[in-house]
């Protein structure tokens, strides 16, 4: 397997408490580098600690839209974390109307999202964006709200819309903003995104596992891990009629370019 990049995973999560080291070495030995994504203060800190222990691992810090709606975004603390060695982006941050249906809470999400965008802009950091629409229909207000917010100059240091599950129209708006699109195991078992997967130019795609979640075929039913990023690459190439070695190389260099790893 050529060198691949898992641009979004959570190896600091408790699902790996029993075998974290072995799980990471499996991936790193196979040539898989990774970005360890934080979702609140605690997992941002533990992600940094992990990334600082291993070569081939970097970390991001941020407050996920669904985690702790009661928690105030503490810009001072996150700013300090963003200065730490191996921290390469702010995220995952964004809007999730799927798990947050109440409009008052969606308003809190938006405010917190904007506070974090301000922080990332000030620190000149790229963004790891999480966006999920509400349960009714595939096109909806979360993607629309996010592009509207980002248009105010927040995407200038680049970013990725991770785990993209929007429509063709929505992906075009993110591409216009200069953002990368992250695809994961969802493309191996759900067929409604095939057109989007074929549409996005290869030089704007990042591979990700979102491990421990969203296990790709043929490992469904088991815990996910960064090693399985090759299953996502294989499916991507099958859908696009692309050569695996070429797509592996390009998606890896996309990731290095976005997160300034060279
Ligand atoms: Zn995630």
């Amino acid at each position: 397997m050529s060198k691949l990049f898992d641009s979004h995973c959570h190896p600091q999560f408790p699902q790996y408490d029993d075998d974290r080291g072995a799980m990471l070495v499996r991936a790193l030995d196979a040539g898989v580098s990774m970005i360890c994504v934080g979702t609140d203060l605690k997992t941002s800190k533990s992600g940094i600690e992990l990334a600082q222990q291993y070569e081939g691992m970097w970390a991001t810090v941020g407050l996920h839209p669904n985690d702790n709606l009661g928690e105030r975004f503490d810009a001072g603390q996150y700013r300090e974390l963003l200065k730490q060695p191996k921290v390469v982006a702010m995220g995952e941050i964004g809007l999730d109307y799927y798990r947050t249906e109440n409009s008052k809470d969606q308003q809190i999400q938006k405010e917190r999202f904007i506070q974090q965008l301000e922080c990332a802009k000030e620190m000149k950091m790229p963004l790891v964006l999480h966006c999920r629409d509400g349960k009714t229909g595939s096109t909806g207000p979360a993607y629309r709200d996010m592009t509207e917010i980002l248009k105010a100059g927040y995407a200038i240091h680049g970013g990725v819309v991770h785990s993209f599950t929007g429509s063709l129209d929505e992906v075009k708006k993110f591409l216009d903003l200069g953002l990368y699109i992250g695809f994961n195991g969802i493309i191996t078992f759900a067929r409604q995104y095939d057109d989007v997967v074929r549409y996005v130019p290869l030089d704007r795609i990042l591979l990700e596992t979102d491990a421990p979640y969203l296990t790709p075929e043929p490992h469904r039913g088991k815990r996910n891990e960064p090693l399985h990023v090759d299953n996502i690459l294989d499916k991507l190439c099958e859908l696009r009629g692309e050569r695996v070695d070429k797509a592996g190389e390009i998606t890896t260099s996309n990731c290095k370019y976005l997160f300034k790893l060279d």
Side-chain angles (χ1 to χ4, degrees):
M1 179 159 90
S2 61
K3 297 222 176 290
L4 299 182
F5 227 112
D6 182 356
S7 65
H8 189 119
C9 57
H10 307 284
Q12 74 274 50
F13 279 17
Q15 285 89 339
Y16 303 110
D17 280 354
D18 291 336
D19 64 343
R20 183 170 292 105
M23 179 277 295
L24 289 173
V25 168
R26 264 200 295 281
L28 295 166
D29 279 358
V32 176
S33 300
M34 61 194 102
I35 306 286
C36 182
V37 174
T39 54
D40 62 10
L41 216 41
K42 186 166 167 262
T43 59
S44 293
K45 285 178 184 166
S46 51
I48 295 172
E49 268 172 46
L50 211 52
Q52 290 178 347
Q53 278 172 46
Y54 292 89
E55 233 178 280
M57 261 182 94
W58 290 265
T60 74
V61 302
L63 186 53
H64 188 285
N66 293 121
D67 285 27
N68 260 326
L69 278 176
E71 188 190 308
R72 184 177 74 85
F73 171 67
D74 187 335
Q77 288 213 59
Y78 278 96
R79 223 180 278 125
E80 284 313 304
L81 294 182
L82 284 167
K83 292 178 193 160
Q84 297 258 334
K86 296 195 97 172
V87 175
V88 295
M90 180 120 215
E92 57 186 297
I93 61 173
L95 305 173
D96 189 320
Y97 297 171
Y98 188 83
R99 282 176 281 183
T100 301
E101 294 177 278
N102 168 310
S103 65
K104 193 171 144 268
D105 287 338
Q106 291 179 356
Q107 196 52 40
I108 296 173
Q109 277 191 350
K110 270 192 233 178
E111 286 161 19
R112 214 162 68 168
F113 180 44
I114 293 169
Q115 289 169 341
Q116 297 191 82
L117 291 171
E118 288 287 348
C119 181
K121 193 177 170 187
E122 180 195 327
M123 302 294 289
K124 299 186 168 55
M125 282 292 197
L127 310 167
V128 175
L129 300 163
H130 172 105
C131 193
R132 200 168 174 201
D133 275 328
K135 292 181 175 86
T136 45
S138 66
T139 60
Y143 282 101
R144 189 195 61 205
D145 288 357
M146 182 174 278
T147 42
E148 283 308 311
I149 290 169
L150 290 173
K151 271 184 199 163
Y154 289 120
I156 47 166
H157 300 293
V160 54
V161 188
H162 113 90
S163 192
F164 188 81
T165 52
S167 67
L168 212 46
D169 280 345
E170 287 157 347
V171 88
K172 288 175 186 170
K173 294 197 178 100
F174 287 111
L175 290 171
D176 286 345
L177 284 163
L179 297 167
Y180 289 85
I181 306 299
F183 293 118
N184 55 37
I186 292 175
I187 71 161
T188 70
F189 57 79
R191 296 279 54 87
Q192 67 265 44
Y193 308 108
D194 288 0
D195 287 342
V196 171
V197 173
R198 291 190 194 102
Y199 178 81
V200 180
L202 194 54
D203 63 5
R204 299 291 282 282
I205 294 176
L206 298 190
L207 301 175
E208 62 169 62
T209 61
D210 205 14
Y213 312 115
L214 299 173
T215 307
E217 294 289 358
H219 307 285
R220 298 291 296 155
K222 288 182 227 137
R223 183 190 69 176
N224 197 6
E225 54 180 78
L227 182 69
H228 299 327
V229 71
D230 65 332
N231 299 112
I232 296 149
L233 173 65
D234 287 346
K235 190 67 193 187
L236 184 100
C237 289
E238 184 195 313
L239 290 168
R240 295 172 59 96
E242 209 100 56
R243 272 176 35 220
V244 173
D245 55 349
K246 178 188 154 205
E249 232 170 76
I250 292 176
T251 51
T252 293
S253 71
N254 292 344
C255 195
K256 288 181 176 170
Y257 182 79
L258 171 62
F259 298 116
K260 301 178 187 73
L261 303 182
D262 281 328

